[in-house]
Amino acid sequence: MDILLTVLALGLLAFLVFVALVVRGARAAKRHIDRGVREARRSFSDAGLRARGAQPGPIGELARVRREMRMSLDHTRKVLESGSSDDPALAEALALVERLGEHAGALDREMGVLMDHEPNRARVAERLPELRERAGRIRSSADSLRNAALDRVHHHDADEIDGLHRQIEIESGALRHWDPVRPAPGPAEEKLPPTAGYRRLTDRNRPRDAH
């Protein structure tokens, strides 16, 4: 009975794990699909703004204002995302850009409604200066963050290169000392005096064989 309960518990656990994996995979796939749909819509919208921006008049001007604001935010977001994982300061700046993007999205929708659903071109021309000024403030803030992030990255890289250069100079100087290290001389060996009664054998004092 205990074995059967254990088998059932393991089977139930495996089933729950399988369900959790399926749900997680489905959510990931949904996020991927949603991101793809948003990117496709954004690409289509950008192409429309590029085409309408070539037109004269307030509609063309409004399209150019929307496109420039979008591009400024996109470029700033990419710069900050590239270094936010290694630099907490850039991560904080990225959070500010996301908040700025919410305001930019609301303004972009407002301008889009005016472009697509306002038949009175005089009304569009009347609203254009105020909308351009608001978009300019958002673009200026995004540009300021992007330029500051680029300066920070450049300064950080310059500091690393300077430090690396100093280390290389030190190592190069050490490598130029190629003379081998000689061991310190030991104590001088004392010369023993000749043994008493020792005579050097010569032809004169060499003993001769008795005949």
Side-chain angles (χ1 to χ4, degrees):
M1 187 64 180
D2 294 338
I3 297 176
L4 180 61
L5 292 176
T6 302
V7 171
L8 291 175
L10 292 175
L12 179 60
L13 179 61
F15 176 76
L16 293 176
V17 171
F18 174 76
V19 171
L21 292 176
V22 170
V23 172
R24 181 179 298 178
R27 290 177 178 175
K30 184 177 182 302
R31 287 194 299 268
H32 182 73
I33 293 173
D34 292 342
R35 183 169 60 250
V37 171
R38 287 194 302 269
E39 292 177 354
R41 290 177 177 174
R42 175 63 185 274
S43 299
F44 181 78
S45 178
D46 288 343
L49 289 178
R50 188 180 300 109
R52 301 181 74 176
Q55 300 176 4
I59 296 298
E61 178 66 19
L62 204 56
R64 289 190 292 272
V65 169
R66 293 177 64 189
R67 187 166 178 267
E68 291 172 357
M69 183 180 65
R70 288 184 179 185
M71 291 177 60
S72 177
L73 281 169
D74 289 343
H75 292 164
T76 301
R77 187 178 290 108
K78 289 178 181 178
V79 169
L80 295 177
E81 286 177 347
S82 64
S84 60
S85 59
D86 300 327
D87 192 338
L90 295 183
E92 294 179 1
L94 181 60
L96 293 177
V97 169
E98 296 302 333
R99 292 173 55 188
L100 186 64
E102 295 177 359
H103 294 282
L107 179 58
D108 184 76
R109 289 188 294 270
E110 182 179 350
M111 290 188 289
V113 170
L114 190 65
M115 288 178 59
D116 298 333
H117 303 289
E118 178 55 67
N120 189 351
R121 293 296 182 263
R123 172 63 175 167
V124 177
E126 181 183 353
R127 293 285 313 279
L128 184 57
E130 179 253 338
L131 295 172
R132 186 193 297 116
E133 191 271 337
R134 290 166 59 189
R137 291 177 59 189
I138 292 175
R139 189 175 65 251
S140 177
S141 297
D143 292 345
S144 176
L145 279 175
R146 183 175 67 255
N147 294 332
L150 291 174
D151 291 342
R152 181 180 180 86
V153 172
H154 173 74
H155 180 73
H156 179 70
D157 291 343
D159 288 344
E160 285 192 351
I161 292 175
D162 290 341
L164 182 60
H165 179 71
R166 288 191 296 269
Q167 292 179 3
I168 291 175
E169 288 296 324
I170 293 173
E171 186 64 23
S172 298
L175 290 175
R176 290 190 180 96
H177 295 286
W178 51 76
D179 292 338
V181 180
R182 299 178 180 178
E189 297 182 358
E190 298 180 357
K191 296 183 178 180
L192 296 176
T195 306
Y198 171 79
R199 290 185 306 170
R200 184 179 179 182
L201 296 179
T202 63
D203 292 339
R204 293 182 178 182
N205 58 16
R206 183 182 302 276
R208 297 181 179 179
D209 295 337
H211 295 284

